[in-house]
Amino acid sequence: MPLNEEETITKLFVQTEQCDGSLRAAGEDFARFYGRLELIVKQHRRRMPVRDGGFQDDFRAAVAQLRALADTAQDSWQAARSCYYASDRAAFVREHRVAIKQLKSAAVSFHRRAGEIYDVYKNLSALCGDLPLRLNWWLLESSANDLVKTAVSISALTRNMEKYYE
């Protein structure tokens, strides 16, 4: 059963806020990974055995959660975009002005968090260098890129909606 306009915009707002909170938690997790990775790099340079045996599994699990979050955010944005472009845009904005303004503020915060996750990816990959660990960098990079693209798309959608403010 398709959602009506109000449910769609509200769902996107709630989803964007949830993604923002999840990205905040993911950023904290990846900051902890950064500290653990620094120790692993030091041990590797000194040719010592790596003591943090669970790093790979923990890192892969965190990246898989980030990928799921990116997919969920993308799906919600696409549903809202389809609903918006299938409706009378001026009437849509007129009826849902408050929800759109809330969505815009949530999108700005989400965009900031997505940029931080991308920065974390850059910092972690630069630190890792020649470590013999099998980490799924490609999945982290694609998830970070997709989150940034989704955040930009949500922001663009809200800017497009603002054109119809009276």
Side-chain angles (χ1 to χ4, degrees), residues 63-135:
V63 170
Q65 288 177 346
L66 190 66
R67 178 75 253 168
L69 179 66
D71 291 340
T72 302
Q74 179 73 12
D75 293 342
S76 296
W77 168 74
Q78 287 178 342
R81 182 189 70 177
S82 298
C83 179
Y84 172 66
Y85 285 116
S87 67
D88 176 21
R89 295 180 194 136
F92 184 93
V93 171
R94 196 170 38 254
E95 293 172 13
H96 309 294
R97 180 175 294 170
V98 174
I100 292 169
K101 288 183 180 188
Q102 289 175 331
L103 177 61
K104 182 179 179 183
S105 66
V108 168
S109 180
F110 176 56
H111 189 237
R112 188 176 306 119
R113 297 278 180 235
E116 289 172 4
I117 291 294
Y118 189 78
D119 291 342
V120 164
Y121 155 71
K122 290 298 217 181
N123 292 335
L124 284 173
S125 64
L127 178 64
C128 189
D130 62 342
L131 283 180
L133 296 175
R134 299 183 62 103
L135 302 174

